[in-house]
Amino acid sequence: MTANDIEKWEAARKEWEEIETSQQRRAPPAPRSLQTAPNLDERMSRASSCCGEHEGHIAACSFQSIWSRLCAEDLTQEKTQAMDLIDRAQLSAARSSASKIPYCICGPSKTGVCALRSTILADEQLLIIALSKVPYSQTNPLHWELLCSLYKFLTDDRTGRNAIGRMGAHWERIGFQGDDPATDLRGVGIFGLCQLLFLVSNGLTSQMTSQLLQLSSDKLQSFPLAVVGLNWTAMILERVKQGKLNWLAVKENSFLTVVNGIYRGCFLSFWKLWKTRNCTIVDFANVSNEIRDTIKRRPKSLLNMAVLSH
């Protein structure tokens, strides 16, 4: 590897850390070189020694099953937070639009927010943002079931033949940053896991899910699959809060259909760009920015994407 290549990889690493820092709104962790990092055997041993409530032969549950039970939980506090976030985000977006077009006399601005006259849609929008404020809870068995289901769909163990440890290196294999997936959920909450589960249980064929996981662990083109998905979720949530996806929700008569469809489109677009351009982690920032721009300017194109041939 030349000195120029080393500089590129170092720049890419720094860009990735900056992206994670901005999405998670927290200080970056100490470099791994300054930490005492357990080797793979030690981490797998830690996984197998987790307490019984965090292990078991659990069959994978579909997104619909998990979602319906999450909706039934008491989210009063989170919904209050969500309402405030939506109000502030839409006010900020309106001020930004007004400053760009101060003297528009041509009628309603295209940057305006479509009103949600349906209480069902408004409640669905509120629920999505509320779940993004729910952190992973060790005491909530539904959260563990969600996490297990995600792992089992990705590793094709849907019948629950193998037990899973709450902590361990196995989470890194599906694209989380470390031994504990919960640390990657800041900014997207439990909703980030919901969208990942939607992708692998409903959004993609099992064959494409397998190929996506395989590509993510490729020696040259690897990327952290779960973290990439959480990145798309954060981008989508911002548009939901601003009301910029209201018009699509009204058209589809469902907010959940819209956000999950766009999320699926993000991965399909990412897959195509990553494969055809022979991308590596050095290229992630550019690809991510392209997809962010598509979410902003052409969300319907992502929603309407068909499964790509591969």
Side-chain angles (χ1 to χ4, degrees):
M1 181 177 287
T2 66
N4 187 41
D5 289 335
I6 293 173
E7 289 179 1
K8 286 183 178 180
W9 278 97
E10 182 63 21
R13 183 185 64 79
K14 290 180 179 179
E15 285 179 344
W16 179 260
E17 289 179 353
E18 289 173 1
I19 290 170
E20 288 305 304
T21 300
S22 64
Q23 294 297 340
Q24 298 177 355
R25 300 179 183 276
R26 63 185 176 96
R32 287 189 180 273
S33 60
L34 301 182
Q35 300 174 357
T36 303
N39 60 36
L40 181 62
D41 290 339
E42 289 173 336
R43 286 183 284 167
M44 292 304 292
S45 176
R46 186 191 310 169
S48 63
S49 64
C50 287
C51 58
E53 65 177 320
H54 293 316
E55 291 187 318
H57 299 274
I58 302 173
C61 285
S62 68
F63 167 79
Q64 292 94 332
S65 173
I66 297 286
W67 182 258
S68 62
R69 284 179 283 160
L70 281 173
C71 292
E73 294 195 331
D74 182 9
L75 299 171
T76 304
Q77 182 177 346
E78 289 81 6
K79 286 183 178 180
T80 300
Q81 288 180 272
M83 193 175 299
D84 181 58
L85 286 171
I86 291 170
D87 288 344
R88 284 191 285 137
Q90 293 188 9
L91 179 60
S92 177
R95 286 174 175 170
S96 177
S97 297
S99 66
K100 293 176 183 177
I101 314 176
Y103 302 110
C104 180
I105 59 173
C106 54
S109 168
K110 291 183 179 180
T111 58
V113 173
C114 174
L116 293 176
R117 294 184 175 86
S118 166
T119 56
I120 294 176
L121 289 179
D123 288 345
E124 202 173 14
Q125 179 193 38
L126 194 65
L127 175 63
I128 288 168
I129 301 303
L131 285 171
S132 76
K133 305 307 296 179
V134 177
Y136 182 90
S137 173
Q138 300 274 23
T139 61
N140 190 329
L142 185 54
H143 290 186
W144 173 238
E145 190 175 356
L146 169 56
L147 195 55
C148 278
S149 295
L150 169 62
Y151 184 86
K152 288 179 179 294
F153 270 107
L154 272 171
T155 57
D156 198 24
D157 180 27
R158 304 183 187 191
T159 59
R161 296 185 302 272
N162 302 314
I164 304 173
R166 171 64 182 83
M167 304 282 191
H170 50 287
W171 297 115
E172 293 179 58
R173 292 172 184 164
I174 63 171
F176 288 101
Q177 291 189 100
D179 294 353
D180 183 3
T183 60
D184 290 333
L185 301 181
R186 293 181 178 89
V188 296
I190 210 70
F191 185 69
L193 286 182
C194 286
Q195 288 213 292
L196 281 167
L197 179 60
F198 162 78
L199 182 78
V200 298
S201 68
N202 297 78
L204 301 177
T205 64
S206 58
Q207 181 183 11
M208 189 166 187
T209 297
S210 177
Q211 291 185 353
L212 186 63
L213 183 62
Q214 185 177 7
L215 179 63
S216 74
S217 59
D218 184 84
K219 289 183 179 180
L220 296 177
Q221 292 189 272
S222 64
F223 56 88
L225 176 59
V227 171
V228 167
L230 298 176
N231 198 43
W232 306 150
T233 296
M235 294 178 185
I236 293 168
L237 284 170
E238 195 60 32
R239 302 301 286 175
V240 173
K241 285 185 285 188
Q242 293 172 350
K244 299 300 185 179
L245 300 180
N246 287 12
W247 67 279
L248 275 175
V250 170
K251 185 174 182 179
E252 298 293 329
N253 198 32
S254 170
F255 241 112
L256 188 61
T257 296
V258 168
V259 296
N260 280 346
I262 291 174
Y263 181 82
R264 173 176 170 273
C266 286
F267 260 109
L268 292 173
S269 181
F270 176 79
W271 166 274
K272 181 179 180 180
L273 293 173
W274 207 258
K275 288 278 287 184
T276 58
R277 296 179 184 176
N278 293 316
C279 292
T280 67
I281 197 64
V282 174
D283 306 298
F284 180 79
N286 289 334
V287 174
S288 178
N289 286 335
E290 285 186 46
I291 292 176
R292 182 194 298 274
D293 189 66
T294 305
I295 293 173
K296 181 178 180 180
R297 301 180 186 279
R298 295 181 291 111
K300 189 177 180 181
S301 68
L302 294 172
L303 180 62
N304 292 340
M305 285 188 74
V307 175
L308 301 175
S309 58
H310 45 276

